[in-house]
Amino acid sequence: MFGFVLARLLRSLIVLFATVTFVFIVLRLSGDPAQQMLSDIATPEALAAFRTQWGLDRSIAEQYLLYLANAFQGNFGTSFADGREVFTVIGERVPKTLSVTVPAFLLTMLIGIPAGILAAVRRETAADKAVMAGAVVGYSIPNFLLGVALIYLFAVWLRVLPSSGSSTWQHAILPVATLVLAGAATISRFTRSTLIDVLGQPYIAAARADGIPEREIILRHALPNAAIPLVTMLGFGAGGMLGGAVFVETVFAWPGLGSGFVRAVNSGDLNVVQAMILTFTAFMVSINLTVDILYAALNPKIRLGNHDAS
Amino acid sequence: MSHLLAVRGLVVQAPARGLKIIDGIDLSLDRGETLGLVGESGCGKSMTCYAIAGALPRGIARTGGSITLQDDADGGTGSPAKPSVAMIFQDPTSSLNPVHTIGHYLESALYRHQGLRGNDARLEAMRLLERVGIDRAKSRLRAYPHQFSGGMNQRVMIAHALAAKPRLLIADEPTTALDVTTQAQILYLLEELRAETGMALLIVSHDLGVIARLADRAAVMYCGKIVETAPIGALLERPAHPYARALIDCMPTIDPDDLEPPTPIAGSVPLLDNLPAGCHFHPRCDRGGRDCVSAYPAPARIGPGHAASCYHPVRP
Ligand SMILES: Nc1ncnc2c1ncn2[C@@H]1O[C@H](COP(=O)(O)OP(=O)(O)OP(=O)(O)O)[C@@H](O)[C@H]1O
Ligand SMILES: [Mg+2]
């Protein structure tokens, strides 16, 4: 198990490194940040001065090596826009993003998993149909549309919730709700289909033939098996929350990583864009690592291999 | 004394589709007896087992008939203990929960059926594993099913069945998924345990060879009905139903002088929703008369304990 974790950890580092390199090169090849930062009417002298100031006049290889050398010392540059350390800029935004995505993820599990279990156990009943109908709605409306619909319903029409900003906890309700509706729809559908699959397995029939009560069959025999694929799906869900945050934060003017990212891309603030992509990647990599470890922990076939234990 | 197990007019249906998977079968089993149930794939052998074990899959229900299990405590004082039925399955590895250890599997059954827990349960689990021929039982308790071979997993299932101290063990194709050597060992083990514990054994197979080895009596199933029941010797030597005879004819032999290839049964098993009128076997039968299509034949006595549902039984 230890070697397994170590190997995954090493792989994660390689992913991070590859991302930095790829993003660096693509960003330098796709447009002129001086032109983007300064306005259209900037003089050629002003543009040249900007390029020299940020080292953009050197070759990409030179810029890349310099960037790496600094990065290894923990220096990821400063924002073109206001000259602050990029991680100061990002550091302000990470808690904002976590304050919508973490509650959204927890609620997604809290709603999606039990709803899926209910639908699977009460298959073909009204409860199942209600859950699946809700899931179809949540599943088929895109995040940004859902966000706009919620703003219209609760902020414009009913006037019970604020539509943009982040000053109070009420401001978080609509962004979280948007993420949860979409997330819980996916998770409940997946939980349902996985559990139905597990309930059809021969070892469940065997447990029934042994007279084990249905409740215990669900809790002790079926769910531990359904949890194995579900963990992978939850990993996708957590990753999807971060992606969703880009939309949702923009729609609700929520000052997190997502909206910050959109703004940095639009203004050509390369150092910030790079560091944000690195941050996103680091989140993704740690989610995957957690999923891999949980998957192995839950699954004896992975944890132990198939040699005779004796 | 009454039978240990008496099945009368059992009907099992999938109500959603209205199909009769089992259509009014009668079976009986005495204490310590071995009954073989044989028939082609899809004839309803497994459903019969599940019905008797009271564990039909969802969407399938018993809609008629009765299943009675009589315990030895008949007429005794106090409340007779519920006579127990245990079951083992065709594919042992997928019939064991992949996330539970062998130890957990056996110990939880010992708790459920005998109230044993902790060290008592562990010791008994080890004893059971050793009884079914698994050595190094102590370390094996920590193993998972995927670490064992199919044969070993079937032994584990048998140990688990024994934990219920069953009066009746149902073995649904217990050796179909195993290689011949292991198959022979498992059959031997079942026979030994049956003799040792005095339980009755209902063994299902589509392989008459397996039935011939173990059973005292056999019942031949076709399309959800029992077409013939007989003591095993009588069935093998003097099958009366043309389907039973055809099944025996397709048993392969290893006699070097017998150069004739086994004869397969012509045609194929009809679908449940499209059963032929009258005797369900008549389209594949070479003895059919006009009466065969009129009504389903009632069982007719052929000899002692020997009956067949056929208008034109094969007479020796
Ligand atoms: N869930 C189900 N719903 C409806 N019909 C079913 C279901 N499961 C099985 N059947 C039908 O019930 C009939 C009997 O099935 P059963 O499994 O008892 O056959 P079997 O004799 O055990 O065959 P095999 O030798 O393949 O195990 C089959 O025709 C099958 O199509
Ligand atoms: Mg079967």
Side-chain angles (χ1 to χ4, degrees), chain A residues 59-81:
Chain A
S59 76
I60 293 185
E62 228 177 316
Q63 290 184 46
Y64 175 64
L65 290 176
L66 206 66
Y67 183 78
L68 277 192
N70 286 329
F72 273 112
Q73 294 162 30
N75 175 6
F76 286 83
T78 54
S79 163
F80 293 179

Side-chain angles (χ1 to χ4, degrees), chain B residues 13-14 17 19-22 39-50 57-60 90 172-173 204-206 221 224 269-272:
Chain B
Q13 281 180 293
R17 294 195 293 149
L19 295 178
K20 278 190 181 168
I21 293 171
I22 305 291
E40 277 168 293
S41 188
C43 67
K45 305 184 295 294
S46 294
M47 289 303 159
T48 306
C49 296
Y50 283 122
R58 60 187 306 156
I60 296 184
Q90 171 166 351
D172 185 5
E173 313 224 18
V204 170
S205 184
H206 54 249
M221 270 190 98
V269 184
L271 295 173
L272 281 181

Side-chain angles (χ1 to χ4, degrees), chain B residues 172-246:
Chain B
D172 185 5
E173 313 224 18
T175 57
T176 306
L178 308 175
D179 65 75
V180 272
T181 325
T182 317
Q183 175 167 346
Q185 290 167 350
I186 296 285
L187 292 180
Y188 180 72
L189 175 65
L190 284 175
E191 181 52 33
E192 225 180 27
L193 291 170
R194 198 209 51 72
E196 195 176 296
T197 62
M199 66 187 174
L201 181 62
L202 173 61
I203 182 157
V204 170
S205 184
H206 54 249
D207 179 356
L208 253 173
V210 168
I211 305 289
R213 236 197 91 173
L214 251 58
D216 305 315
R217 280 191 308 123
V220 181
M221 270 190 98
Y222 188 74
C223 293
K225 289 193 174 277
I226 286 178
V227 296
E228 181 162 359
T229 52
I232 186 68
L235 182 75
L236 292 175
E237 283 155 33
R238 299 180 297 279
H241 197 285
Y243 176 65
R245 193 195 53 187

Side-chain angles (χ1 to χ4, degrees), chain B residues 27-61:
Chain B
L27 276 179
S28 59
L29 225 94
D30 288 327
R31 289 163 187 82
E33 189 187 26
T34 301
L35 173 69
L37 193 57
V38 65
E40 277 168 293
S41 188
C43 67
K45 305 184 295 294
S46 294
M47 289 303 159
T48 306
C49 296
Y50 283 122
I52 295 171
L56 285 168
R58 60 187 306 156
I60 296 184

Side-chain angles (χ1 to χ4, degrees), chain B residues 281-301:
Chain B
F281 187 63
H282 82 259
R284 301 171 79 187
C285 185
D286 53 7
R287 308 172 59 86
R290 209 178 299 152
D291 40 358
C292 296
V293 294
S294 60
Y296 194 85
R301 191 189 133 92

Side-chain angles (χ1 to χ4, degrees), chain A residues 181-193:
Chain A
L181 281 176
T186 315
I187 295 299
S188 62
R189 279 163 60 117
F190 188 80
T191 306
R192 175 183 185 271
S193 65

Side-chain angles (χ1 to χ4, degrees), chain A residues 210 220 225 303 305 308, chain B residues 97 100 112 136 140 144 146:
Chain A
D210 197 27
R220 301 260 178 86
N225 281 285
R303 192 168 74 232
D308 192 328
Chain B
N97 197 321
H100 291 167
R112 219 173 26 256
R136 286 179 290 149
R140 250 77 187 246
Y144 287 87
H146 76 272

